């Protein structure tokens, strides 16, 4: 199984400042046949289900604010919130869908400093 | 508007059974693969099982193989998860999640991300 790790476990950022979350997979999730990274990012707010923010590592889901961006390839990925807003307080998960079982990172909790 | 509504959770003793349901609306149900994903206290999100749009492809995480069965009734727009021989470690909030494709796993073994999730149903396994 592909093991996903995230860092940091939690971070507190001032409103308007940048938040950066890292995700690492135990093996590459880049498929050479289509040059796509099978990596998604989800946001889960308290009492709500997860919501997809980014897929294919860097494609923003429709309706997601452009302050959210994804980057990386192979085994190392980053979710960046360019200017943290109060409504961004949540736990963020990365997930690989390169191979079954599809596995998630342990999550990163983002809070306001 | 896509809606997924889970039901069937509850308190069950170890070794017992439960059947979860997920009623879907707002999209052509048979055109999309569906999955169950659980969130256990202190353990994060775990994909449990998936089924293709036609129902002919089913997939499980190793820890539930032989105990859980995923199925769907496309005439009723409903997804199911039959859970037998339940263990304490199955205690979790169970979400149904819609795949962004008709398949859950492609012929080359690749998957798809989950674009919609239900609110979840809580399963507690305890004596």
């Amino acid at each position: 199984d592909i093991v996903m790790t995230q860092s940091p476990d939690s971070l507190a950022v001032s409103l308007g400042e940048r938040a950066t979350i890292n995700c690492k997979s135990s093996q590459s999730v880049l498929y050479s046949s289509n040059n796509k990274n099978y990596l998604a990012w989800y946001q889960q707010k308290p009492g709500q289900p997860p919501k997809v923010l980014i897929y294919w590592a860097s494609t923003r889901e429709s309706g997601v604010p452009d302050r959210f961006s994804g980057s990386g390839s192979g085994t190392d990925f980053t979710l960046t919130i360019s200017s943290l807003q109060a409504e961004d307080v949540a736990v963020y998960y990365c997930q690989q869908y390169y191979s079954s079982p599809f596995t998630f990172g342990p999550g990163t909790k983002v809070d306001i400093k | 508007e896509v809606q997924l509504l889970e039901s069937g959770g509850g308190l069950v003793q170890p070794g017992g059974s439960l059947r979860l349901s997920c009623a879907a609306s707002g999209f052509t149900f048979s055109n999309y693969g569906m999955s169950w994903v659980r969130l256990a206290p202190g353990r994060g999100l775990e994909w449990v099982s998936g089924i293709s749009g036609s129902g002919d492809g089913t997939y499980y995480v190793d820890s539930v193989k032989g105990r859980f069965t995923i199925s769907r009734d496309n005439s009723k727009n409903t997804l199911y998860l039959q859970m037998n021989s339940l263990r304490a470690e199955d205690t979790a909030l169970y979400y149904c999640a819609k795949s962004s494709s008709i398949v859950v796993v492609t012929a080359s073994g690749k998957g798809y991300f989950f674009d919609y999730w239900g609110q979840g149903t809580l399963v507690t396994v305890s004596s």
Side-chain angles (χ1 to χ4, degrees), chain A residues 42 44 49-50 55 97-98 102, chain B residues 47 95 109-111 113-114 117-118:
Chain A
Y42 299 87
Q44 186 170 29
Y55 53 91
Y97 46 101
Y98 182 87
F102 309 120
Chain B
W47 175 81
Y95 297 104
K110 302 295 174 279
F113 62 94
F114 307 120
W117 300 60

Side-chain angles (χ1 to χ4, degrees), chain A residues 35-51:
Chain A
N35 201 38
K36 286 187 173 183
N37 286 285
Y38 284 64
L39 189 285
W41 288 97
Y42 299 87
Q43 173 194 64
Q44 186 170 29
K45 296 181 180 180
Q48 295 185 21
K51 169 190 171 184

Side-chain angles (χ1 to χ4, degrees), chain A residues 18-91:
Chain A
R18 178 185 300 260
T20 301
I21 301 169
N22 300 301
C23 172
K24 191 174 183 69
S25 56
S26 61
Q27 64 187 75
S28 176
V29 298
L30 173 62
Y31 189 34
S32 57
S33 293
N34 59 12
N35 201 38
K36 286 187 173 183
N37 286 285
Y38 284 64
L39 189 285
W41 288 97
Y42 299 87
Q43 173 194 64
Q44 186 170 29
K45 296 181 180 180
Q48 295 185 21
K51 169 190 171 184
V52 65
L53 298 176
I54 304 285
Y55 53 91
W56 304 127
S58 60
T59 301
R60 196 180 305 114
E61 173 73 324
S62 175
V64 172
D66 61 7
R67 63 180 180 273
F68 291 93
S69 63
S71 62
S73 184
T75 61
D76 293 278
F77 301 91
T78 300
L79 175 70
T80 301
I81 309 173
S82 60
S83 176
L84 191 75
Q85 304 299 304
E87 60 266 30
D88 301 334
V89 169
V91 178

